[in-house]
Amino acid sequence: MKYDRRRMAAAVILLTVLAALCTGCGGNAAAPETRTRELRAAEPQVLGLLLSREDAATAELKAAIVTEADARGYQVRCYDAGNDPETQLRQVHQALAEGIGTLLVDLTGGEASDKIAGIVGDAGVVLIGRAPETAILDERLVLVGADEAGSGVLQGQALADYFWETDQGTEIRCLLFQGAGTDARSDTAVQMLLYDGFFPIAAADDQVCGPSRAAARRDMAALLAEDVDFDCVICDSDEMALGVIDALEAAGRDPAASPIVSVDHTAQGTAAVEDGSLYLTVDRNTGLQARAAVAAAVNLDQGRPFDDGLWELLGQDCLADPNQPYTVRVAAESD
């Protein structure tokens, strides 16, 4: 390779001049540590948002988080795991390597999600939705999730009201469509039917199909092909409920013939309630969850206790409204 000696000489002269200027500044020059702090302060503040997947519910939560973060002077860098635990695990490493110090994580299912709590190091992590079963929550690993049992109570009460009004009898055959880590929600819905004087029985095995509309459609179609009799369908998300509705309509059956209940209150879920195909969708209060999650994340990012100001934001017991159908739970200690 041929070297351009003139360019090399010019570079040496430039470096010499810069060195002389820095030396000549004397007491007026900022100390290296001060200059570093100033540069960091000038950099945009960024939170990492790691979503398990992109669907209607997570899209609404993402939009609310981005809006809330912007109001607090933060940008949000988003990652979509495509519902793959290993991908999300790599994305956590990627976000930390990119210098993002605080992460909001909507966990995928699977064993890989349990490893996230062990690799975050000094980073602040706000888990939105659920925590891994093996995670030990602390002042740097915080859960801003939902009251799963509370939403199940509302589903069960709505079903009990329906069956009392229709005088269908007390033996209720239930189909459960569940996602990862949401057993408490559907189990509570069934328990409420029992409390209200009914005898809920399983119409078939629980359908664990994640939050996928396509998977729920497939599983419901298989149940219909087996001529499974059911009186109600309890779903853990609007996506699942919409998949169940798709399968019923494809089979020429009226979705309104047996009540279907879900959680999320997405635009599509609300539209399904309005047209009668979905009996109930519990409002998961996306705005409140986003405000709480971002507030906790900003606190961690700025070195404050995660709950600084949260009680004023959320009210006593983290409830902005005691009658809110889907409440937010903030915790730094495992239950």
Side-chain angles (χ1 to χ4, degrees), residues 85-117:
E86 293 295 338
T87 296
Q88 186 168 72
L89 196 59
R90 289 193 298 271
Q91 290 173 339
V92 170
H93 284 290
Q94 178 185 347
L96 296 176
E98 291 172 352
I100 299 177
T102 304
L103 309 176
L104 297 101
V105 184
D106 166 40
L107 287 172
T108 63
E111 295 180 0
S113 66
D114 292 349
K115 301 176 185 177
I116 289 177

Side-chain angles (χ1 to χ4, degrees), residues 147-234:
D147 182 359
E148 303 288 357
S151 56
V153 165
L154 289 169
Q155 288 181 320
Q157 288 175 340
L159 290 173
D161 290 343
Y162 173 89
F163 290 123
W164 281 125
E165 291 171 3
T166 56
D167 195 22
Q168 191 165 325
T170 56
E171 190 173 277
I172 306 299
R173 295 162 297 182
C174 304
L175 283 177
L176 303 185
F177 280 71
Q178 297 181 321
T182 57
D183 292 0
R185 189 185 303 166
S186 51
D187 289 350
T188 305
V190 172
Q191 192 67 38
M192 287 304 300
L193 283 171
L194 188 62
Y195 286 159
D196 279 322
F198 294 95
F199 299 97
I201 59 175
D205 292 338
D206 296 351
Q207 306 300 303
V208 182
C209 52
S212 168
R213 181 171 181 170
R217 181 190 307 118
R218 177 202 63 213
D219 290 355
M220 188 63 187
L223 292 172
L224 294 174
E226 296 171 5
D227 293 324
V228 172
D229 289 328
F230 60 93
D231 299 308
C232 66
V233 185
I234 301 172

Side-chain angles (χ1 to χ4, degrees), residues 45-56:
Q45 296 173 298
V46 181
L47 300 173
L49 174 59
L50 290 94
L51 295 174
S52 61
R53 66 199 179 281
E54 282 275 9
D55 60 21

Side-chain angles (χ1 to χ4, degrees), residues 261-274:
V261 295
S262 68
V263 172
D264 278 340
H265 204 260
T266 60
Q268 288 182 310
T270 302
V273 172
E274 292 174 351

Side-chain angles (χ1 to χ4, degrees), residues 63-85:
I65 286 174
V66 169
T67 299
E68 185 67 24
D70 181 67
R72 292 174 176 268
Y74 274 79
Q75 297 178 2
V76 177
R77 190 172 302 168
C78 299
Y79 305 81
D80 174 15
N83 215 29
D84 179 33

